[in-house]
Amino acid sequence: MEKAKHISTLGWLFLIIAGMTLAGCAGSQPKPGEVFPCVADGKLDKEIASEAELTDFSCVFKKFEGSDVVHFTVGVKNVSDQPQRFRVNIFLDNGKAVGGLIPRKLNNGLVAPGQGQSFTYPVTGMTTKPKGITLIIRTMSQ
């Protein structure tokens, strides 16, 4: 009898620990539409041109091509005295990458001195938060 009681206690203890672990992991994933910091402090490597100032770098899960995936919002301010166009590259720890130009099109011209623009980049197939990111912002002349 004593041995059966001991195994039962260990079984319950295992189930409780497993349940707490799973509940903790489920709580760490943001809900769709909820803006969150893209990575933990110290997990973001940045290379930003001297002509640029990063004004926003945030993430949100939104629908893209049928599933909720990470969208990166990047805001850049032109701190130089010349109009600029910026190239944005985002490299993730899992090998995925995304990027583009700000402004995306030149119909309205370049980013004027003292002004800022932003763009949101979806990452196809990225349904979990990234663990590490390298963000590179350069001017088109670099």
Side-chain angles (χ1 to χ4, degrees):
M1 279 291 209
E2 188 66 34
K3 187 174 183 177
K5 183 178 181 184
H6 180 70
I7 292 173
S8 176
T9 304
L10 283 177
W12 277 109
L13 182 62
F14 176 76
L15 286 173
I16 290 170
I17 291 171
M20 290 173 64
T21 302
L22 290 174
C25 292
S28 66
Q29 185 74 3
K31 297 176 182 155
E34 178 183 326
V35 177
F36 61 94
C38 297
V39 288
D41 292 338
K43 297 294 182 177
L44 175 62
D45 293 324
K46 298 184 280 188
E47 291 179 31
I48 301 176
S50 61
E51 297 88 351
E53 177 185 317
L54 183 65
T55 59
D56 184 21
F57 187 64
S58 59
C59 290
V60 65
F61 281 101
K62 294 192 292 190
K63 287 274 187 218
F64 184 74
E65 296 182 352
S67 60
D68 286 322
V69 298
V70 173
H71 287 64
F72 293 98
T73 299
V74 179
V76 180
K77 180 179 178 181
N78 181 359
V79 293
S80 74
D81 59 355
Q82 299 292 319
Q84 298 288 340
R85 190 173 196 195
F86 300 101
R87 176 176 300 281
V88 176
N89 295 104
I90 303 168
F91 299 98
L92 307 179
D93 61 325
N94 64 0
K96 290 186 177 278
V98 68
L101 300 172
I102 296 178
R104 197 169 73 81
K105 295 183 179 182
L106 293 177
N107 297 346
N108 295 325
L110 301 173
V111 180
Q115 298 299 306
Q117 288 190 17
S118 65
F119 192 78
T120 301
Y121 303 96
V123 184
T124 306
M126 187 72 179
T127 57
T128 59
K129 288 173 58 172
K131 292 182 178 66
I133 297 173
T134 300
L135 173 65
I136 301 172
I137 301 175
R138 295 189 175 127
T139 62
M140 287 298 291
S141 62
Q142 292 179 327

